[in-house]
Amino acid sequence: MLNIILFGAPGSGKGTQSEKLVAHFGLKHLSTGDLLRGEIAAKTPLGLEAKALMDMGQLVPDEVVIGMISSALENNPQAKGFLFDGFPRTVAQAEALDKLLALKKSEIKAVLALHVTEEELVKRLLNRGLTSGRSDDNNESIIRARIVEYNNKTSVVAEYYKSFDKVKSIEGEGTVNEIFSSLCTAINSLELL
Ligand code: B4P
């Protein structure tokens, strides 16, 4: 299986690039943000709990997202690989993912880390907030809180995977197609290994 993590701060292009990558490589896209927004739209108890945290720019509890990913892995036994988008966001989530994949006799092949400056992140998310209807995108202080949460809890996930030599840094500023091309080059170099 080809399992890839697309890693980066909020607004770094994970969702944008994931759509193109799954179409190109035939992977199953697993976005915890999309799964959580699905729960919110369906007004489930989990969705209501998640919405309150997401609206403050905070992470949803680890056990909630790990449970969602565990179900998604079980529900897709035929997948030739997974593209994880926005997950894992904490070291506890990363350790849980490694265990879930080990049960499938599989592992993360690479972590592709998109690098974008904070001012560009804020600009992109405020811009998306004009049309997305997402309550976490239309207020600069919430966007900055999400970036603080990323710096405090998520950036260490890259260190975790660096210790296994799995991280590839990708320039995340440029056109969508330029960044897609860099990601494809990184993935193709893996498949040749
Ligand atoms: P997510 O849904 O994962 O969203 P995100 O990080 O905000 O955005 P993403 O990175 O995918 O967006 P993109 O750059 O593609 O998370 C939302 C919330 O859910 C989190 O804050 C958290 O509360 C919760 N959550 C999710 N997963 C969790 C987990 N594992 N644990 C705990 N909580 C979790 O797009 C941004 C904008 O940039 C778009 O408008 C796009 O068009 C634009 N853009 C993209 N590429 C561009 C480029 N090259 N140039 C210019 N603009 C570009």
Side-chain angles (χ1 to χ4, degrees), residues 6-19 29 31-37 40 50-62 64-66 68-69 85-90 93 114 116 120-121 123-129 131-132 134 136-137 142 145-147 149-150 154 171-180:
L6 194 54
F7 186 81
S12 57
K14 303 183 298 289
T16 304
Q17 296 295 336
S18 290
E19 281 183 28
H29 182 199
S31 157
T32 39
D34 287 350
L35 291 170
L36 289 166
R37 283 184 288 277
I40 292 170
K51 182 171 177 13
L53 292 163
M54 289 164 76
D55 283 352
M56 290 187 290
Q58 293 176 11
L59 294 185
V60 172
D62 286 338
V64 171
V65 286
I66 292 166
M68 290 192 320
I69 289 289
D85 160 12
F87 179 90
R89 264 176 153 98
T90 64
Q93 292 179 22
L114 293 166
V116 175
E120 174 70 11
L121 297 173
K123 197 172 93 187
R124 286 185 189 179
L125 292 174
L126 282 173
N127 194 36
R128 182 171 69 184
T131 54
S132 67
R134 276 178 58 170
D136 57 346
D137 276 350
I142 301 293
R146 288 162 62 192
I147 295 171
E149 193 84 332
Y150 170 83
T154 306
E171 171 55 56
E173 293 191 36
T175 69
V176 169
N177 282 339
E178 281 165 354
I179 299 160
F180 177 61

XYZ file of all heavy atoms in Angstrom, residues 6-19 29 31-37 40 50-62 64-66 68-69 85-90 93 114 116 120-121 123-129 131-132 134 136-137 142 145-147 149-150 154 171-180, ligand 1:
672
model
N -0.154 14.177 3.957
C 0.081 15.534 3.470
C 0.002 16.427 4.700
O -1.038 16.491 5.371
C -0.969 15.913 2.421
C -0.645 17.142 1.599
C 0.725 17.048 0.945
C -1.698 17.352 0.526
N 1.121 17.078 4.986
C 1.287 17.757 6.270
C 1.498 19.248 6.036
O 2.153 19.642 5.082
C 2.520 17.147 6.966
C 2.749 17.620 8.356
C 2.027 17.074 9.408
C 3.675 18.616 8.630
C 2.229 17.510 10.705
C 3.880 19.054 9.924
C 3.158 18.503 10.968
N 0.964 20.069 6.950
C 1.213 21.506 6.862
C 0.240 22.266 7.726
O -0.749 21.715 8.224
N 0.506 23.553 7.880
C -0.330 24.419 8.715
C -1.706 24.603 8.070
O -1.883 24.308 6.884
C 0.375 25.768 8.875
N -2.682 25.128 8.822
C -3.991 25.431 8.230
C -3.804 26.402 7.067
O -3.118 27.420 7.213
C -4.762 26.129 9.365
C -4.036 25.799 10.610
C -2.612 25.486 10.234
N -4.372 26.075 5.927
C -4.259 26.954 4.762
C -3.025 26.697 3.923
O -2.761 27.396 2.945
N -2.258 25.657 4.254
C -1.012 25.414 3.507
C -1.255 24.737 2.165
O -0.332 24.578 1.378
C -0.031 24.589 4.345
O -0.629 23.375 4.729
N -2.507 24.317 1.918
C -2.826 23.722 0.622
C -3.103 22.233 0.692
O -3.193 21.569 -0.345
N -3.280 21.710 1.899
C -3.485 20.262 2.037
C -4.742 19.799 1.293
O -4.687 18.866 0.489
C -3.599 19.853 3.518
C -2.404 20.256 4.372
C -2.534 19.754 5.800
C -3.724 20.292 6.554
N -3.626 21.714 6.909
N -5.862 20.469 1.589
C -7.121 20.062 0.950
C -7.062 20.236 -0.559
O -7.481 19.367 -1.333
N -6.516 21.374 -0.984
C -6.410 21.696 -2.417
C -5.589 20.638 -3.153
O -5.998 20.108 -4.193
C -5.723 23.079 -2.567
O -6.470 24.026 -1.815
C -5.612 23.501 -4.017
N -4.426 20.323 -2.609
C -3.535 19.378 -3.286
C -4.025 17.933 -3.147
O -3.814 17.122 -4.050
C -2.102 19.504 -2.729
C -1.452 20.852 -2.998
C -1.225 21.128 -4.485
O -1.124 20.211 -5.295
N -1.161 22.405 -4.848
N -4.705 17.625 -2.033
C -5.189 16.251 -1.847
C -6.120 15.842 -2.969
O -6.037 14.723 -3.477
C -5.942 16.129 -0.519
O -5.058 16.219 0.546
N -7.021 16.762 -3.337
C -7.988 16.425 -4.402
C -7.271 16.017 -5.678
O -7.652 15.065 -6.353
C -8.876 17.639 -4.707
C -9.967 17.826 -3.692
C -10.871 18.987 -4.053
O -11.007 19.306 -5.257
O -11.424 19.573 -3.111
N -8.795 9.289 -0.223
C -8.566 10.538 0.510
C -9.230 10.472 1.878
O -10.442 10.269 1.960
C -9.169 11.687 -0.320
C -8.970 13.039 0.264
N -9.742 14.121 -0.103
C -8.094 13.523 1.176
C -9.346 15.193 0.555
N -8.349 14.858 1.330
N -9.669 12.949 4.966
C -9.480 14.263 5.569
C -10.291 14.322 6.853
O -11.527 14.225 6.811
C -9.964 15.351 4.601
O -10.290 16.526 5.318
N -9.606 14.477 7.996
C -10.371 14.540 9.249
C -11.214 15.820 9.293
O -12.301 15.814 9.870
C -9.438 14.442 10.475
O -8.242 15.175 10.227
C -9.094 13.004 10.778
N -10.720 16.906 8.676
C -11.539 18.125 8.624
C -12.847 17.866 7.885
O -13.932 18.231 8.353
N -12.768 17.193 6.726
C -13.994 16.890 5.958
C -14.903 15.942 6.741
O -16.131 16.113 6.747
C -13.643 16.231 4.609
C -13.045 17.221 3.624
O -13.064 18.447 3.894
O -12.536 16.765 2.569
N -14.304 14.931 7.391
C -15.126 13.983 8.168
C -15.850 14.719 9.300
O -17.044 14.488 9.545
C -14.254 12.853 8.736
C -13.678 11.870 7.699
C -12.625 10.952 8.342
C -14.786 11.024 7.072
N -15.129 15.643 9.958
C -15.755 16.397 11.059
C -16.854 17.317 10.533
O -17.930 17.412 11.129
C -14.691 17.210 11.808
C -13.711 16.383 12.647
C -12.507 17.221 13.075
C -14.412 15.803 13.876
N -16.604 17.972 9.394
C -17.644 18.852 8.833
C -18.867 18.034 8.405
O -19.992 18.519 8.465
C -17.074 19.700 7.683
C -16.226 20.869 8.196
C -15.737 21.784 7.078
N -14.701 21.161 6.273
C -13.404 21.129 6.588
N -12.973 21.720 7.672
N -12.530 20.534 5.807
N -20.809 17.584 11.494
C -21.485 18.837 11.858
C -22.741 19.006 10.997
O -23.825 19.326 11.502
C -20.534 20.049 11.682
C -19.402 19.974 12.713
C -21.291 21.369 11.792
C -18.278 20.977 12.493
N -17.603 18.763 18.213
C -16.483 19.200 17.369
C -16.659 20.655 16.942
O -15.699 21.425 16.940
C -16.380 18.299 16.137
N -17.866 21.037 16.602
C -18.095 22.404 16.081
C -17.660 23.458 17.092
O -17.029 24.450 16.735
C -19.566 22.596 15.700
C -19.836 23.978 15.109
C -21.219 24.103 14.536
C -21.576 25.488 14.000
N -20.560 26.476 13.798
N -18.001 23.223 18.371
C -17.656 24.213 19.398
C -16.140 24.419 19.437
O -15.664 25.559 19.550
C -18.172 23.739 20.750
N -15.381 23.344 19.319
C -13.918 23.452 19.364
C -13.374 24.061 18.078
O -12.491 24.931 18.107
C -13.304 22.057 19.587
C -13.590 21.467 20.971
C -13.337 19.973 20.992
C -12.720 22.168 22.020
N -13.891 23.596 16.938
C -13.393 24.093 15.646
C -13.659 25.587 15.511
O -12.840 26.327 14.973
C -14.032 23.306 14.500
C -13.505 21.874 14.429
S -14.506 20.756 13.433
C -14.058 21.240 11.766
N -14.814 26.055 16.019
C -15.137 27.484 15.925
C -14.201 28.341 16.767
O -14.107 29.548 16.557
C -16.592 27.734 16.348
C -17.576 27.339 15.253
O -17.116 27.024 14.134
O -18.795 27.363 15.506
N -13.523 27.718 17.735
C -12.543 28.473 18.544
C -11.129 28.286 18.002
O -10.170 28.780 18.582
C -12.596 27.990 20.002
C -13.876 28.404 20.717
S -13.810 27.998 22.482
C -13.909 26.218 22.453
N -10.998 27.496 16.925
C -9.667 27.273 16.346
C -8.886 26.207 17.073
O -7.679 26.074 16.883
N -9.569 25.419 17.918
C -8.865 24.390 18.687
C -9.006 23.019 18.049
O -9.935 22.776 17.279
C -9.433 24.334 20.113
C -9.127 25.602 20.887
C -9.760 25.607 22.266
O -10.266 24.591 22.732
N -9.721 26.761 22.899
N -8.100 22.120 18.424
C -8.180 20.749 17.918
C -9.289 19.985 18.625
O -9.591 20.236 19.797
C -6.851 20.017 18.135
C -5.639 20.530 17.352
C -4.438 19.620 17.602
C -5.924 20.612 15.862
N -9.859 19.044 17.912
C -10.863 18.119 18.447
C -10.091 17.034 19.212
O -8.944 16.729 18.845
C -11.663 17.559 17.239
C -12.596 16.447 17.627
C -12.417 18.702 16.551
N -10.679 16.437 20.288
C -9.911 15.435 21.065
C -9.373 14.285 20.205
O -10.044 13.824 19.271
C -10.932 14.915 22.083
C -11.927 16.010 22.214
C -11.997 16.685 20.866
N -8.190 13.826 20.587
C -7.528 12.751 19.838
C -8.427 11.532 19.652
O -8.499 10.956 18.558
C -6.255 12.291 20.583
C -5.123 13.299 20.478
O -5.138 14.109 19.529
O -4.233 13.268 21.341
N -11.513 11.165 19.376
C -12.589 11.350 18.385
C -12.039 11.128 16.970
O -12.585 10.338 16.190
C -13.197 12.771 18.506
C -14.156 13.054 17.353
C -13.892 12.932 19.846
N -10.928 11.811 16.645
C -10.413 11.691 15.276
C -9.768 10.327 15.027
O -9.885 9.780 13.928
C -9.443 12.840 14.898
C -10.193 14.127 14.664
C -8.384 13.051 15.926
N -9.151 9.758 16.055
C -8.561 8.420 15.872
C -9.672 7.409 15.584
O -9.545 6.549 14.706
C -7.724 8.016 17.114
C -6.479 8.897 17.209
C -7.326 6.533 17.050
C -5.751 8.831 18.552
N -12.534 8.030 14.137
C -13.035 8.243 12.771
C -12.092 7.616 11.744
O -12.534 6.989 10.777
C -13.165 9.752 12.475
C -14.287 10.418 13.235
S -14.655 12.100 12.642
C -13.066 12.729 12.328
N -10.789 7.775 11.963
C -9.819 7.220 11.009
C -9.826 5.690 11.063
O -9.769 5.015 10.027
C -8.403 7.778 11.289
C -8.335 9.255 10.895
C -7.319 6.977 10.587
C -8.372 9.536 9.402
N -4.998 13.645 5.103
C -4.999 15.107 4.943
C -5.507 15.721 6.254
O -6.659 15.522 6.629
C -5.922 15.407 3.739
C -6.446 16.833 3.683
O -5.954 17.698 4.423
O -7.361 17.071 2.864
N -4.625 16.428 6.964
C -5.036 17.036 8.238
C -5.002 16.047 9.389
O -5.524 16.344 10.463
N -4.441 14.910 9.186
C -4.293 13.870 10.216
C -2.984 13.154 9.942
O -2.726 12.822 8.779
C -5.459 12.872 10.140
C -5.367 11.764 11.163
C -5.934 11.914 12.411
C -4.688 10.585 10.873
C -5.841 10.902 13.366
C -4.590 9.568 11.827
C -5.176 9.737 13.065
N -2.159 12.859 10.923
C -2.291 13.174 12.348
C -1.899 14.616 12.679
O -1.029 15.184 12.022
C -1.326 12.189 13.008
C -0.307 11.874 11.964
C -0.961 12.031 10.637
N -2.532 15.184 13.697
C -2.243 16.554 14.119
C -1.593 16.600 15.495
O -1.277 17.700 15.974
C -3.536 17.369 14.145
C -3.785 18.185 12.871
C -5.140 18.848 12.989
N -5.290 20.071 12.256
C -5.856 20.150 11.053
N -6.256 19.083 10.419
N -6.015 21.337 10.482
N -1.425 15.463 16.143
C -0.694 15.393 17.423
C 0.159 14.124 17.377
O -0.110 13.216 16.570
C -1.645 15.281 18.643
O -2.355 14.050 18.544
C -2.628 16.440 18.731
N -1.886 11.070 17.921
C -2.584 10.615 16.703
C -1.613 9.867 15.783
O -1.970 8.863 15.160
C -3.196 11.806 15.956
C -4.353 12.479 16.692
C -4.918 13.679 15.932
O -4.768 13.807 14.715
N -5.587 14.573 16.654
N 4.234 20.703 3.530
C 4.125 21.949 2.754
C 4.559 23.133 3.622
O 4.056 23.293 4.739
C 2.672 22.156 2.313
C 2.140 21.149 1.294
C 0.610 21.249 1.207
C 2.768 21.407 -0.077
N 4.679 27.155 4.109
C 4.049 28.425 3.694
C 4.205 29.414 4.848
O 4.057 29.031 6.013
C 2.531 28.188 3.398
C 1.815 29.486 3.083
C 2.360 27.202 2.232
N 0.999 34.459 4.481
C 0.319 33.856 3.325
C -0.821 32.942 3.794
O -1.896 32.918 3.204
C 1.336 33.080 2.465
C 0.757 32.273 1.308
C 0.201 33.094 0.138
O 0.435 34.323 0.084
O -0.490 32.479 -0.726
N -0.602 32.207 4.892
C -1.665 31.334 5.425
C -2.890 32.167 5.790
O -4.025 31.831 5.418
C -1.191 30.601 6.695
C -0.031 29.621 6.580
C 0.381 29.134 7.968
C -0.414 28.420 5.706
N -3.728 35.148 4.767
C -4.332 35.734 3.558
C -5.222 34.708 2.852
O -6.368 34.986 2.502
C -3.198 36.201 2.624
C -3.628 37.154 1.552
C -2.429 37.700 0.810
C -2.162 36.829 -0.406
N -0.934 37.165 -1.112
N -4.699 33.482 2.682
C -5.469 32.447 1.969
C -6.753 32.097 2.711
O -7.812 31.925 2.107
C -4.640 31.166 1.847
C -3.525 31.245 0.838
C -2.873 29.875 0.748
N -1.664 29.892 -0.043
C -0.907 28.825 -0.242
N -1.240 27.666 0.303
N 0.177 28.895 -0.982
N -6.647 31.961 4.046
C -7.831 31.503 4.794
C -8.892 32.596 4.852
O -10.092 32.313 4.723
C -7.419 31.030 6.189
C -6.582 29.741 6.163
C -6.077 29.393 7.553
C -7.376 28.564 5.593
N -8.448 33.880 5.009
C -9.435 34.972 4.995
C -10.118 35.018 3.638
O -11.336 35.236 3.534
C -8.748 36.317 5.284
C -8.427 36.583 6.753
C -7.589 37.852 6.884
C -9.708 36.713 7.589
N -9.356 34.763 2.603
C -9.906 34.763 1.243
C -10.924 33.630 1.081
O -12.017 33.827 0.555
C -8.727 34.634 0.264
C -9.137 34.964 -1.138
O -9.962 35.842 -1.343
N -8.597 34.244 -2.098
N -10.552 32.425 1.580
C -11.507 31.310 1.494
C -12.763 31.617 2.301
O -13.871 31.245 1.914
C -10.854 30.015 1.997
C -11.775 28.816 1.882
C -11.067 27.505 2.164
N -10.677 27.368 3.555
C -9.982 26.345 4.032
N -9.580 25.372 3.242
N -9.659 26.276 5.310
N -12.580 32.319 3.433
C -13.713 32.658 4.295
C -14.759 33.529 3.601
O -15.922 33.553 4.012
N -16.071 32.992 0.817
C -17.038 32.166 0.072
C -17.325 30.803 0.710
O -18.317 30.174 0.363
C -16.512 31.882 -1.361
O -15.206 31.311 -1.242
C -16.458 33.134 -2.201
N -16.471 30.338 1.644
C -16.616 28.943 2.102
C -17.769 28.737 3.066
O -18.237 27.616 3.242
C -15.323 28.485 2.806
O -15.145 29.200 4.018
N -17.333 28.781 6.073
C -16.727 28.146 7.249
C -16.505 29.177 8.343
O -15.799 30.160 8.141
C -15.394 27.484 6.864
C -15.576 26.099 6.293
C -14.270 25.485 5.870
N -13.283 25.377 6.952
C -12.152 24.695 6.844
N -11.867 24.063 5.725
N -11.301 24.648 7.852
N -14.728 29.019 10.868
C -13.345 29.139 11.357
C -12.446 29.876 10.373
O -11.272 30.058 10.625
C -12.751 27.753 11.701
C -12.760 26.764 10.532
O -13.451 27.021 9.528
O -12.073 25.734 10.630
N -13.003 30.321 9.244
C -12.191 31.012 8.231
C -12.467 32.521 8.144
O -11.754 33.226 7.457
C -12.487 30.440 6.829
C -11.679 29.179 6.519
O -10.772 28.842 7.284
O -11.983 28.559 5.490
N -9.402 33.976 14.991
C -9.591 32.510 15.034
C -8.537 31.840 14.140
O -7.956 30.806 14.498
C -11.005 32.112 14.541
C -12.086 32.770 15.393
C -11.180 30.584 14.528
C -12.161 32.306 16.813
N -5.420 31.746 15.971
C -5.485 30.729 17.042
C -5.223 29.346 16.455
O -4.573 28.504 17.089
C -6.855 30.768 17.721
N -5.730 29.088 15.248
C -5.486 27.788 14.611
C -3.997 27.609 14.332
O -3.452 26.507 14.458
C -6.286 27.693 13.303
C -7.774 27.545 13.552
C -8.606 27.875 12.335
N -8.350 27.007 11.202
C -8.802 27.257 9.973
N -9.520 28.352 9.730
N -8.557 26.422 9.001
N -3.338 28.715 13.929
C -1.898 28.620 13.629
C -1.108 28.389 14.930
O -0.151 27.602 14.955
C -1.433 29.868 12.853
C -2.139 29.896 11.490
C 0.088 29.881 12.691
C -1.948 31.172 10.683
N -2.249 26.807 17.566
C -2.526 25.396 17.888
C -1.605 24.493 17.044
O -1.043 23.513 17.544
C -4.010 25.119 17.582
C -4.557 23.822 18.120
C -5.029 23.855 19.565
O -4.496 24.661 20.352
O -5.921 23.058 19.912
N -1.447 24.854 15.777
C -0.548 24.087 14.893
C 0.888 24.137 15.435
O 1.557 23.111 15.549
C -0.604 24.656 13.461
C 0.460 24.083 12.561
C 0.272 22.864 11.923
C 1.670 24.749 12.367
C 1.269 22.311 11.118
C 2.665 24.216 11.567
C 2.459 22.991 10.945
O 3.439 22.447 10.156
N 0.966 20.518 16.581
C 1.058 19.742 15.341
C 2.461 19.746 14.742
O 2.891 18.728 14.195
C 0.026 20.258 14.310
O -1.266 20.236 14.927
C 0.005 19.410 13.056
N 8.082 23.122 -1.035
C 7.754 24.550 -1.063
C 6.256 24.688 -1.343
O 5.762 24.172 -2.348
C 8.584 25.235 -2.172
C 8.214 26.668 -2.463
C 8.263 27.562 -1.229
O 9.320 27.620 -0.571
O 7.229 28.197 -0.921
N 5.539 25.347 -0.418
C 4.074 25.428 -0.530
C 3.575 26.733 -1.100
O 2.361 26.964 -1.140
N 4.498 27.627 -1.538
C 4.064 28.875 -2.174
C 4.408 28.810 -3.650
O 5.463 28.314 -4.030
C 4.716 30.085 -1.497
C 4.206 30.235 -0.068
C 4.581 31.549 0.599
O 4.618 32.584 -0.094
O 4.825 31.523 1.812
N 3.483 29.293 -4.447
C 3.619 29.195 -5.898
C 2.238 28.873 -6.435
O 1.262 28.918 -5.678
N 2.136 28.523 -7.706
C 0.810 28.188 -8.219
C 0.425 26.785 -7.755
O 1.293 25.964 -7.411
C 0.764 28.231 -9.759
O 1.565 27.140 -10.241
C 1.288 29.544 -10.331
N -0.881 26.511 -7.756
C -1.370 25.190 -7.356
C -0.701 24.113 -8.212
O -0.279 23.061 -7.709
C -2.920 25.139 -7.463
C -3.433 23.719 -7.320
C -3.547 26.042 -6.396
N -0.557 24.372 -9.523
C 0.042 23.360 -10.405
C 1.535 23.159 -10.148
O 2.033 22.039 -10.245
C -0.201 23.708 -11.875
C -1.619 23.336 -12.283
O -2.258 22.494 -11.625
N -2.129 23.963 -13.327
N 2.238 24.252 -9.809
C 3.674 24.106 -9.500
C 3.860 23.227 -8.267
O 4.728 22.342 -8.229
C 4.307 25.485 -9.215
C 4.615 26.284 -10.453
C 4.903 27.767 -10.170
O 4.749 28.231 -9.007
O 5.256 28.462 -11.121
N 3.026 23.460 -7.252
C 3.158 22.699 -6.007
C 2.753 21.242 -6.253
O 3.411 20.310 -5.769
C 2.321 23.370 -4.890
C 2.854 24.789 -4.652
C 2.352 22.551 -3.606
C 1.901 25.729 -3.978
N 1.700 21.051 -7.046
C 1.266 19.686 -7.393
C 2.405 18.929 -8.078
O 2.680 17.768 -7.772
C 0.028 19.764 -8.295
C -0.473 18.422 -8.766
C -0.896 17.463 -7.873
C -0.507 18.124 -10.132
C -1.358 16.223 -8.304
C -0.965 16.886 -10.576
C -1.387 15.934 -9.657
P -8.928 21.146 8.057
O -10.219 20.854 7.422
O -7.870 20.097 8.027
O -8.500 22.436 7.289
P -7.309 23.417 7.160
O -6.074 22.896 7.814
O -7.836 24.702 7.633
O -7.075 23.677 5.628
P -6.303 23.092 4.397
O -4.813 23.149 4.626
O -6.850 21.776 4.009
O -6.810 24.139 3.331
P -6.151 24.538 1.962
O -4.795 25.038 2.289
O -6.258 23.481 0.943
O -9.136 21.536 9.612
C -10.193 22.335 10.110
C -10.352 22.136 11.634
O -10.817 20.779 11.926
C -9.102 22.271 12.499
O -8.830 23.624 12.855
C -9.490 21.409 13.753
O -10.312 22.125 14.654
C -10.295 20.278 13.167
N -9.481 19.070 12.873
C -9.256 18.552 11.625
N -8.472 17.462 11.709
C -8.169 17.295 13.040
C -7.352 16.360 13.755
N -6.678 15.390 13.114
N -7.261 16.483 15.107
C -7.928 17.443 15.754
N -8.708 18.370 15.143
C -8.820 18.311 13.789
O -6.976 25.749 1.472
C -6.881 27.051 2.038
C -7.124 28.108 0.989
O -5.910 28.357 0.301
C -8.159 27.745 -0.073
O -8.998 28.844 -0.294
C -7.319 27.462 -1.314
O -7.997 27.779 -2.510
C -6.129 28.367 -1.101
N -4.912 27.874 -1.727
C -4.482 26.582 -1.730
N -3.318 26.495 -2.403
C -3.005 27.773 -2.822
C -1.912 28.334 -3.557
N -0.905 27.590 -4.004
N -1.916 29.671 -3.775
C -2.928 30.440 -3.324
N -3.989 29.972 -2.634
C -4.019 28.638 -2.387
